[in-house]
Amino acid sequence: MEKLLIEPSKIRKIAFVGDHLPRKCGIATFTSDLLAAVATAHPQSQCFCVSVNDIKGGYDYPEVVRFEIDEQDLSSYLRAADFLNISNVDIVCLQHEFGIFGGPAGGHILAFLRELRMPVVTTLHTVLREPRSDQRRVMQELVSLSTRVVVMAERGRQMLQEIYEAPPAKIDLIPHGIPDVGFVDPTYFKDQFGVEGKVVLLTFGLLSPNKGIEYVLKALPEILNEFPDVVYIVLGATHPNELREHGEAYRVSLEMLAKKSGIEKSVIFYNDFVELENLKEFIGAADLYITPYLNEAQITSGTLAYAFGAGKAVVSTPYWHAAELLADDRGVLVPFADAPAMAKAVNDLLRDDTRRHAMRKNAYRIGREMIWSNTAQLYMHSFEQSRLQGAASSRKSLLTKTLDRRPRELPVLKLNHLVRMTDSTGVFQHANFSIPNFSEGYCTDDNARAFILAVLLGEFGEELEVVRAMATTCAAFLQHAFDPQTQRFHNHMSFDRQWLDEEGSEDCQGRAIWALGVGVGRSPFRSFQMMAGQLFALALPAMTRFTSPRAWAFGLIGIHEYLTRLSGDSLVNQTRETLTGRLMELLEGNATPDWCWFEQELSYDNAKLAHALILSGRATSQPEVVKRGLDALRWLNEVQISEKGHFRPIGSNGFYKRGGTRAAFDQQPIEAQAMVSACLEAYRATSDGWWYEQAQRAFDWFLGWNDLGLELYSSESGACGDGLHVDRLNRNQGAESTLAFLLSLAEMRLAQNMVTSFKEPIALGA
């Protein structure tokens, strides 16, 4: 590798943005090590970290962490950008991995980058060969907003150019840094771990199912047949995300596999996230290092770099980083998930001392070019290039922004009242003021809405324990409400858990289908996906027998969510085609230039009809369907704007029959919610900011921009009044109204994330 002659740097302040120890993840380790290496190599430069927190309260960081970002809170990214601009930082060094930032495909980080005034050097820890559309978009904008980008393998450089159209001159290839350790005999360290006289195989890193350790365990009996003194050490704590979702299930399964295979005396699990000094000793004790990852799409592996650079013979599956680093007999590559090939490769190396030691020496020699002090020099060279490119002059200055240029401050999400309205059975339907009204019992409609809300809030990382518990309760209610004999949902249940109807309305069935579709398409939890999918399949056929346009619309929204995960389901696709066709026929049969609507009356949940057409037309690439839906929604929007410019929903005291008198009151929260949701869908379909403004107008109805100038929502509890009477606010805070507000807030937050992060919006769930 070419040695760089670095002149005294003019860079005085460098901010490293990513994760930082003591958070347990590979990015945290990398950021901490890189920051320390640059600070040591260039003491004249002040180095500090802006760290991203994935848990409330963050971590017990060292003083070098000067600012913390809440992963899911978009505003905290903007505050961090303000902090860096005010602090006169010369260079920002961003560590990018999709999983550590909030927003669609981690898009919150784009909002942060757009506000910065200084050059940005971004290290890409992942480069996907087959990105989803939102991931591709994030990556392309990330490259555009960065002054320079760093990859750690030649394959990454090629993929950036071929897949993401990154300018070649913008890309720097800098290998993963490693600690500088001596080339020592493994025997020197073995007694520290009680494995003296043993042949040590080592795998280390945070434990998760994609690591493929089970295939090494399956290979071990054959290895032990020839080399009975072999011991396999698996070093590392379970990955925090895996631990939160599944506990120690993967580790336990590995231990059970070892016992069933009769190799438990030859396997050691160290369930710990070890400090660097201890890690060096573990690596030092290894005769062979093994990385059995199951997926080739890994462009960087810090564990591989550490072991290779320490002069270890390596057996690995051919993921991208390994295939490049271990080429030309610098290591041994074996097929993915192939235990016999793994056993053969290990035995061949243990049998051939000459080859193994040559491999070690070659790795150690190459590794000297990867030590952190060299890596720090290469990064400083990249920083200097960024400074000289004059990127700062092209970045917009951070001036005090007028309201139209800053994201709207949305209300803080509060679930106090909704939790108060929920017991172990489900969500209560009505309330006397803020007190649940037991005598009115429960309904499937509201439990379906609450389930949808819980899934959406899970995407923000909001109050995860609360929303998971609520989702579970509401999912159980939906499951119990379904009658497999009639294939219909009950709707109304008394406080003593007796169903009060033989079957619910068609609209109730549609809302349940909507909720189940969300469970399949958007919930990250397999149990919800499975339950919702099975119930969805049983409940969907009834939809084609219905006559209610709103039931069709609710069902179409649920179908769309379902098909985002299971797009190949032909029956569901056929049902979407049928219901979309019926809505189009209804619109064509009733609409005229002065009454562009599906029916001869505007009644309740009106905007959902247009919403369903826009959504389904876009999903099935039918521009005419989208256009008709947009035309209908634009007409409805005009009808519902007052002479003073605020949102005025159709009143429920008589609704609005064509040619008749429009009811001004009572104004219901579900109308505002339907309009918010439909206008946001129109915005995603068209990228026209006017639709976002209409959604904001409808949302502001909750906040007091309405006929009475009264706030309907409670900032203390998150509750929402049951509507506006002609002369007052209905102070009862039932489930339908509260959920209408909370769903509107959740959707506005999702949309605001896109507006702030992306130049153009992207579809939710894309």
Side-chain angles (χ1 to χ4, degrees):
M1 183 178 298
E2 180 184 357
K3 295 293 183 181
L4 296 174
L5 297 176
I6 304 294
E7 297 180 0
S9 176
K10 296 181 180 179
I11 296 172
R12 290 293 177 263
K13 192 175 287 189
I14 307 169
F16 293 81
V17 179
D19 300 341
H20 196 283
L21 296 174
R23 179 171 174 178
K24 297 178 180 179
C25 79
I27 304 297
T29 300
F30 183 92
T31 307
S32 304
D33 288 345
L34 177 60
L35 189 159
V38 172
T40 299
H42 294 269
Q44 74 276 18
S45 298
Q46 178 187 349
C47 299
F48 66 89
C49 182
V50 173
S51 190
V52 181
N53 293 328
D54 62 334
I55 59 174
K56 287 190 175 180
Y59 298 86
D60 185 16
Y61 290 117
E63 291 183 0
V64 74
V65 175
R66 292 283 309 283
F67 201 94
E68 298 174 41
I69 295 174
D70 180 349
E71 178 184 314
Q72 298 297 338
D73 180 8
L74 178 62
S75 64
S76 72
Y77 289 80
L78 302 181
R79 290 193 295 272
D82 285 353
F83 172 77
L84 295 179
N85 287 324
I86 291 169
S87 300
N88 290 319
V89 168
D90 296 307
I91 294 287
V92 165
C93 182
L94 173 69
Q95 309 307 310
H96 183 265
E97 167 67 54
F98 283 107
I100 68 173
F101 301 115
H108 283 359
I109 197 61
L110 302 178
F112 166 81
L113 292 175
R114 290 186 197 287
E115 298 301 312
L116 295 179
R117 291 185 298 174
M118 69 292 296
V120 176
V121 176
T122 297
T123 302
L124 300 175
H125 291 260
T126 296
V127 182
L128 300 174
R129 184 177 63 186
E130 298 178 351
R132 300 192 310 264
S133 59
D134 55 349
Q135 292 171 331
R136 178 188 296 275
R137 191 166 188 177
V138 166
M139 184 67 84
Q140 289 177 327
E141 294 205 29
L142 184 66
V143 171
S144 174
L145 290 167
S146 300
T147 315
R148 303 197 67 77
V149 291
V150 174
V151 293
M152 304 185 207
E154 180 61 39
R155 179 67 175 268
R157 175 154 55 187
Q158 294 171 1
M159 290 169 61
L160 270 184
Q161 296 175 56
E162 295 169 2
I163 300 172
Y164 302 97
E165 300 176 344
K170 202 175 197 177
I171 306 170
D172 292 324
L173 177 58
I174 303 178
H176 194 295
I178 62 171
D180 192 4
V181 298
F183 186 74
V184 297
D185 188 330
T187 305
Y188 179 80
F189 291 102
K190 289 182 180 180
D191 60 338
Q192 298 182 42
F193 307 110
V195 292
E196 58 273 17
K198 299 286 188 180
V199 177
V200 176
L201 314 182
L202 174 68
T203 295
F204 80 88
L206 293 170
L207 216 60
S208 60
N210 63 332
K211 296 300 176 68
I213 292 168
E214 58 271 27
Y215 290 96
V216 184
L217 296 178
K218 291 175 181 178
L220 209 52
E222 185 175 341
I223 296 170
L224 290 168
N225 283 339
E226 186 170 351
F227 298 96
D229 290 334
V230 160
V231 62
Y232 179 40
I233 297 177
V234 180
L235 170 64
T238 299
H239 195 289
N241 293 342
E242 176 71 15
L243 199 59
R244 281 193 289 268
E245 296 296 330
H246 304 291
E248 292 286 8
Y250 180 58
R251 183 183 299 277
V252 170
S253 72
L254 296 176
E255 293 174 353
M256 293 301 297
L257 175 59
K259 290 179 181 179
K260 290 178 182 178
S261 303
I263 57 173
E264 64 269 30
K265 292 183 179 180
S266 300
V267 180
I268 300 173
F269 284 92
Y270 279 91
N271 185 5
D272 197 10
F273 187 84
V274 298
E275 299 294 333
L276 178 59
E277 288 307 311
N278 289 335
L279 178 58
K280 290 178 183 177
E281 293 170 350
F282 272 103
I283 295 174
D287 294 284
L288 285 181
Y289 184 71
I290 303 178
T291 52
Y293 300 163
L294 299 179
N295 191 322
E296 70 171 352
Q298 182 157 339
I299 203 67
T300 304
S301 170
T303 62
L304 173 64
Y306 275 33
F308 180 86
K312 295 298 161 181
V314 179
V315 176
S316 177
T317 50
Y319 56 92
W320 293 331
H321 191 192
E324 187 170 315
L325 189 63
L326 304 180
D328 301 324
D329 205 32
R330 294 191 292 265
V332 178
L333 298 174
V334 298
F336 295 104
D338 191 335
M342 179 71 70
K344 182 179 185 304
V346 170
N347 285 343
D348 287 348
L349 275 179
L350 294 180
R351 197 182 298 123
D352 190 342
D353 291 344
T354 301
R355 182 187 177 203
R356 189 172 75 255
H357 291 310
M359 195 175 288
R360 289 189 60 211
K361 291 177 182 178
N362 194 25
Y364 187 77
R365 177 181 56 80
I366 296 171
R368 296 317 84 211
E369 300 176 355
M370 299 161 55
I371 60 174
W372 277 116
S373 58
N374 288 346
T375 298
Q377 297 287 9
L378 292 169
Y379 267 94
M380 283 301 297
H381 182 65
S382 183
F383 296 163
E384 287 290 350
Q385 284 187 290
S386 298
R387 183 184 66 82
L388 294 173
Q389 285 170 11
S393 62
S394 66
R395 291 184 176 274
K396 54 187 179 226
S397 166
L398 185 75
L399 302 174
T400 301
K401 294 182 178 178
T402 55
L403 284 175
D404 66 326
R405 293 189 61 225
R406 290 194 73 90
R408 279 285 300 274
E409 286 288 338
L410 295 171
V412 175
L413 181 89
K414 295 288 184 68
L415 297 178
N416 308 38
H417 182 63
L418 186 57
V419 170
R420 188 164 56 225
M421 289 285 291
T422 307
D423 68 1
S424 61
T425 298
V427 179
F428 289 107
Q429 185 174 189
H430 293 296
N432 292 322
F433 300 102
S434 63
I435 309 301
N437 185 344
F438 290 174
S439 65
E440 298 290 341
Y442 318 83
C443 73
T444 298
D445 283 333
D446 290 334
N447 280 275
R449 294 182 179 107
F451 180 78
I452 293 168
L453 175 68
V455 174
L456 290 182
L457 295 183
E459 296 182 5
F460 297 122
E462 288 281 0
E463 301 191 44
L464 289 176
E465 291 186 11
V466 173
V467 300
R468 177 73 185 273
M470 182 172 296
T472 301
T473 297
C474 295
F477 191 98
L478 291 172
Q479 187 169 249
H480 182 57
F482 185 71
D483 183 344
Q485 299 300 318
T486 63
Q487 294 189 325
R488 296 289 298 274
F489 287 88
H490 296 285
N491 195 11
H492 297 289
M493 175 188 277
S494 66
F495 180 63
D496 59 358
R497 299 186 181 183
Q498 300 298 312
W499 291 113
L500 302 177
D501 51 20
E502 290 297 322
E503 62 182 33
S505 66
E506 293 183 359
D507 289 1
C508 167
Q509 188 94 358
R511 288 193 183 92
I513 287 289
W514 176 11
L516 295 172
V518 168
V520 173
R522 299 182 79 145
S523 174
F525 301 114
R526 189 67 174 165
S527 58
F528 288 155
Q529 295 171 19
M530 295 292 288
M531 182 283 294
Q534 292 172 9
L535 208 53
F536 185 96
L538 294 172
L540 185 65
M543 294 296 298
T544 57
R545 301 193 293 270
F546 291 169
T547 59
S548 165
R550 281 156 191 79
W552 300 340
F554 300 144
L556 281 169
I557 297 171
I559 285 170
H560 173 79
E561 297 286 357
Y562 175 95
L563 290 172
T564 59
R565 176 160 282 156
L566 301 175
S567 59
D569 192 322
S570 57
L571 176 61
V572 177
N573 276 293
Q574 290 170 12
T575 305
R576 174 164 63 183
E577 183 180 349
T578 297
L579 298 183
T580 302
R582 289 184 184 178
L583 277 180
M584 283 291 286
E585 290 173 5
L586 205 61
L587 182 59
E588 291 167 358
N590 286 280
T592 60
D594 66 332
W595 184 268
C596 185
W597 199 241
F598 301 79
E599 302 169 296
Q600 295 297 303
E601 179 183 25
L602 290 171
S603 53
Y604 64 95
D605 246 340
N606 294 301
K608 278 287 180 280
L609 303 181
H611 183 169
L613 273 193
I614 299 167
L615 185 70
S616 300
R618 187 161 61 91
T620 56
S621 300
Q622 297 183 77
E624 182 58 26
V625 174
V626 175
K627 180 181 182 303
R628 295 303 300 274
L630 291 170
D631 290 344
L633 184 60
R634 189 179 296 273
W635 178 83
L636 176 65
N637 185 65
E638 292 172 356
V639 169
Q640 296 188 117
I641 295 178
S642 74
E643 58 278 2
K644 293 183 178 180
H646 58 257
F647 179 68
R648 176 186 287 162
I650 302 299
S652 62
N653 296 338
F655 297 123
Y656 182 17
K657 292 185 178 180
R658 185 173 186 175
T661 302
R662 165 190 172 146
F665 295 94
D666 291 345
Q667 296 179 16
Q668 300 294 314
I670 61 166
E671 297 309 315
Q673 194 279 318
M675 201 66 187
V676 167
S677 191
C679 288
L680 290 178
E681 185 55 46
Y683 169 58
R684 291 188 291 269
T686 64
S687 301
D688 185 347
W690 183 84
W691 285 113
Y692 183 78
E693 293 171 6
Q694 307 317 302
Q696 185 71 63
R697 187 199 309 269
F699 183 74
D700 286 344
W701 179 86
F702 291 103
L703 310 185
W705 198 28
N706 52 51
D707 282 331
L708 301 186
L710 297 175
E711 290 184 350
L712 283 89
Y713 93 103
S714 166
S715 59
E716 295 181 358
S717 68
C720 181
D722 277 349
L724 292 179
H725 298 308
V726 66
D727 58 346
R728 68 190 188 281
L729 169 67
N730 185 336
R731 297 192 179 277
N732 293 332
Q733 298 171 340
E736 179 184 280
S737 302
T738 294
L739 286 164
F741 168 70
L742 292 173
L743 283 165
S744 297
L745 177 57
E747 290 203 57
M748 286 300 295
R749 282 185 59 177
L750 281 170
Q752 189 180 84
N753 292 348
M754 292 190 300
V755 170
T756 309
S757 299
F758 295 91
K759 291 179 180 177
E760 301 291 345
I762 58 174
L764 297 182

